[in-house]
Amino acid sequence: MKVVAVIGARPQFIKAAPVSRVLREAGHTEYLVHTGQHYDYGMSQVFFDELGIPQPDVNLEIGSGAHGWQTGQMLIRLEEVLMAQRPDWVLVYGDTNSTLAGALAAVKLRLPTAHVEAGLRSFNREMPEEHNRVLTDHIADLLFCPTQTAVDNLRNEGITAGVHLVGDTMYDAVLQFAAVAPQRSTILARLNLTPKGYLLATVHRPSNTDDPANLRSILAAFAEIEEPVIFPVHPRTRKQIAALGMDADPGPTANPRMIEPVGYLDMLALEQNARLILTDSGGIQKEAYWLGVPCVTLRTETEWVETVAAGWNVVVGADRARILAAVRQAQPPGERPTFYGDGRAAQHIVRILRSHDRG
Ligand code: UD1
Ligand code: UDP
C-alpha cells in the first residue's frame, strides 16, 4: 500500500509520527510531503529529529502568508505531487491550512482520502481551524475520530459512512515519549526549575494573539502569578507582543519567563513537572490530561470537552481575573477516565486503511 501523508505545522508532526512508524514497520510505502507551513528549526525540524520521523520526501516551502494565498499555493503544489505519486491513500492530519489543502487536492484527483483527527468541533466559526475541519470532514472518504464526541459531531452533520473511532495518535506519542523525556531532556536544570514549582503557559490562537485587549489581559494575569510561569512563545505571539510595544525578552527572572518554542521532549518534561498548565493549544490541553496536570484553557470553548467533564480542565477565556481565580482554585480530582483510545490509534488507522485498500 502506498500512502502520501501531508503535514506542515507543529502539531501535525506529532500526530503523524506514530502513523508513519507503523506504516513503515508494516512494509508499506509512505511518501511524506511537508508543505513548509512551519519552517523555523524549533517549529519543524526538531520534531523530525526527536520523534524519529523520516525526512520529508518533498518540502513545498510555502511558508507564511494570508489564508487564501497559503492554502492556494499548497493546493497548486500538492496537486502536482499527488498526480506524480498516485498513492492508494492520501492522509491528512488535524485542522490546519495544510490539512484542507491536502484534502482538497486529493479529492479533486479522486484519490482516496483519510482524515486523522476527524469530527472535532468548537462550533466557533471565528476560528480558522473550524472551517478547515468542517470542509475536510465533508470531503474525506475515511474519518478517523479520536473520541466518541467526534463521532457524534459527524453524525449530527449527517456523516456516518467511513467513520471509525480509533483513538488519538497524540496519545500514542505521549505513551511512547513520556517515559524517555525525563532522561533525554535537561530543560528543568537549564531553567533552574523544581518539579511542581512552576506553571507552564502557551498562547497562539489568533483570538488571543491578534486581539490586543486579550493579549494584554493574558500577559497581565501571567505577570501577577507568584510562581514562575514558563512561557515558550510561538512566533506569531512573539510578533504580536512586539507589536504591542511590550518587551518580548524581559529577562530570566521576569514573569512570564518567555523562552523560544521548545522541542517535544523538553515540552513533555515541562508539562510533566508543571503544577498547572495555562494554554489555548488543542494538543496541550490533552497532554495535560494524560500527564495528570490541571489545565486552565485560555479560550471561550474547547473541542476536548472530555477533559472539562472529568474536572481536569477549566475554560476561562482571556479575562485576567478569571485566569487568576482558576489558577488559585485548580483542584483536580483523582480519577482520569480513558477517553482517547488504547494508545494504538496508529495501528488501528493502518489496519483500516489496509482493509479498504483496493490495490
Ligand atoms: C497554525 C495553524 C493552527 C495550529 C498552529 C500550531 C492554520 C490556519 N493554523 O497556526 O491551527 O494550531 O499552526 O502551531 O493552519 N511563523 C514563524 N515561523 C514558523 C512558522 C510561523 O515565524 O516556522 C510565524 C509567521 O509570522 C506566521 C505566523 O507565525 O505568519 C503564523 O503561522 P501560521 O502557520 O500561518 O499559523 P499558526 O498561528 O502557526
Ligand atoms: N509543543 C512543543 N513545543 C512548544 C509548544 C508546543 O513541542 O514550544 C507541542 C505540544 O507538546 C503539542 C503540540 O506541540 O504536542 C501542540 O501544538 P500547538 O500548540 O502548536 O498546536 P495546536 O495543538 O493548538 O493545534
Side-chain angles (χ1 to χ4, degrees):
M1 178 171 69
K2 178 173 175 181
V3 173
V4 168
V6 180
I7 54 180
R10 175 166 67 187
Q12 291 168 325
F13 310 134
I14 296 149
K15 289 168 197 183
V19 180
S20 176
R21 190 166 71 121
V22 173
L23 277 171
R24 287 160 201 258
E25 281 175 2
H28 301 299
T29 303
E30 184 190 39
Y31 186 92
L32 208 49
V33 184
H34 190 320
T35 62
Q37 179 169 349
H38 286 175
Y39 43 85
D40 292 347
Y41 175 82
M43 295 295 290
S44 175
Q45 184 60 41
V46 66
F47 299 99
F48 290 80
D49 296 345
E50 290 189 352
L51 288 109
I53 310 166
Q55 280 308 302
D57 293 280
V58 62
N59 188 324
L60 306 179
E61 295 181 357
I62 308 292
S64 306
H67 288 283
W69 179 88
Q70 187 180 54
T71 313
Q73 291 292 317
M74 289 176 186
L75 186 58
I76 293 166
R77 298 292 313 283
L78 284 165
E79 183 172 62
E80 293 163 9
V81 171
L82 294 177
M83 279 188 344
Q85 294 299 322
R86 287 267 150 209
D88 300 304
W89 283 103
V90 178
L91 269 186
V92 297
Y93 292 88
D95 53 16
T96 73
N97 289 344
S98 299
T99 314
L100 177 60
L104 203 47
V107 299
K108 293 276 183 188
L109 292 170
R110 305 301 308 128
L111 292 170
T113 305
H115 183 202
V116 177
E117 205 188 74
L120 270 285
R121 295 292 182 270
S122 65
F123 304 103
N124 176 359
R125 292 278 173 120
E126 296 296 314
M127 274 184 95
E129 293 83 357
E130 190 75 353
H131 317 138
N132 294 340
R133 295 175 184 138
V134 171
L135 294 167
T136 301
D137 285 340
H138 281 258
I139 57 179
D141 301 289
L142 284 182
L143 298 128
F144 294 122
C145 294
T147 59
Q148 183 58 46
T149 309
V151 174
D152 296 343
N153 288 339
L154 291 177
R155 194 190 317 109
N156 290 340
E157 292 175 21
I159 305 174
T160 51
V163 175
H164 297 269
L165 177 57
V166 292
D168 196 317
T169 65
M170 284 190 113
Y171 183 44
D172 299 13
V174 161
L175 291 181
Q176 191 190 342
F177 289 99
V180 296
Q183 279 115 52
R184 286 174 39 196
S185 166
T186 58
I187 192 147
L188 262 65
R190 289 199 320 271
L191 297 180
N192 200 15
L193 298 171
T194 51
K196 304 298 162 186
Y198 65 93
L199 312 189
L200 175 67
T202 78
V203 179
H204 76 278
R205 296 257 94 85
S207 57
N208 287 327
T209 60
D210 300 7
D211 179 324
N214 281 354
L215 187 53
R216 281 186 197 281
S217 170
I218 288 169
L219 292 173
F222 291 177
E224 271 186 60
I225 294 169
E226 278 173 26
E227 297 150 283
V229 178
I230 306 303
F231 181 18
V233 185
H234 189 289
R236 166 191 283 282
T237 315
R238 192 170 286 279
K239 262 190 136 162
Q240 298 295 40
I241 291 173
L244 289 184
M246 297 176 77
D247 190 354
D249 192 10
T253 52
N255 232 8
R257 282 178 66 178
M258 300 197 211
I259 59 174
E260 289 297 314
V262 297
Y264 186 59
L265 297 176
D266 280 348
M267 192 63 184
L268 286 180
L270 284 172
E271 289 173 349
Q272 284 167 324
N273 291 290
R275 184 181 74 74
L276 179 141
I277 294 176
L278 298 135
T279 192
D280 61 10
S281 158
I284 294 169
Q285 291 175 61
K286 290 179 292 175
E287 288 168 355
Y289 182 75
W290 296 325
L291 298 170
V293 180
C295 186
V296 172
T297 293
L298 308 170
R299 287 180 46 194
T300 49
E301 73 285 310
T302 180
E303 301 78 18
W304 305 107
V305 290
E306 303 79 13
T307 60
V308 177
W312 284 85
N313 189 3
V314 286
V315 175
V316 300
D319 180 69
R320 181 190 133 276
R322 287 195 70 195
I323 296 169
L324 290 170
V327 168
R328 271 196 305 275
Q329 287 157 14
Q331 237 181 13
E335 299 258 308
R336 271 185 297 130
T338 309
F339 297 118
Y340 298 95
D342 60 4
R344 293 168 53 82
Q347 279 90 340
H348 300 313
I349 287 168
V350 172
R351 179 176 42 77
I352 296 163
L353 288 175
R354 184 76 195 91
S355 71
H356 284 78
D357 180 28
R358 282 168 240 119

